[in-house]
Amino acid sequence: MQRSNLLIVAFAALEGAAGVALSAAAAHISSAANLDTASRFLMIHAAAALGLGALLAAKPPLARWLTGVGFALLAGVALFSGDLVARAFAGDRLFPYAAPIGGSLTIASWLALAIWALAALRTK
C-alpha cells in the first residue's frame, strides 16, 4: 500500500475519533448544535475517506486524481468542522470564512470524485 493511501486512512481514523468525541461532548452540552453537526460531518466523511483509501489500494486508474480527492475531502471536512467546534468552545471562528471554504472544498471533493469515476469508466 502506498504511503499516501496510509496517510488518508490515518487521517480518516483521526477524523472518525474526533467525530465520536464531539458526539459525546454534544450529548453533555446544552445547545450544542454546532458540535452535533461537526460530529456527523467528521464521522460520515471519515468513512468515505476510508473507502477511498481502500479503493486506492486496488491501484485504480487515475490514482493520483483519487489521492488528491481523498486529501481534499479530509481537509475540507476538517476546516468546516474545526470552525464549528471553535464557535462552540471558543465562541469565535477558526478564521474568517473557514466554514464556507471547508464546505466548498468538501462539495468540490465529492464532485471531483464523480468526475474521477466517469473518467475511470472511459479508461476501461
Side-chain angles (χ1 to χ4, degrees):
M1 193 176 236
Q2 297 246 9
R3 179 180 170 93
S4 58
N5 304 18
L6 293 172
L7 284 171
I8 288 172
V9 170
F11 289 133
L14 291 172
E15 285 192 358
V20 173
L22 288 174
S23 182
H28 298 286
I29 298 172
S30 63
S31 68
N34 280 349
L35 294 181
D36 187 51
T37 299
S39 170
R40 279 186 278 122
F41 263 74
L42 285 164
M43 289 191 287
I44 289 167
H45 291 88
L50 285 174
L52 288 174
L55 181 58
L56 281 163
K59 299 185 189 318
L62 307 167
R64 284 188 186 200
W65 179 273
L66 192 58
T67 299
V69 168
F71 283 117
L73 182 70
L74 289 164
V77 171
L79 268 177
F80 178 79
S81 298
D83 190 66
L84 294 180
V85 170
R87 290 170 193 241
F89 286 128
D92 199 8
R93 301 178 289 194
L94 192 58
F95 59 84
Y97 303 107
I101 291 169
S104 297
L105 184 56
T106 303
I107 293 166
S109 298
W110 282 107
L111 294 172
L113 179 58
I115 291 167
W116 169 84
L118 294 172
L121 273 173
R122 296 191 70 185
T123 65
K124 294 277 177 189

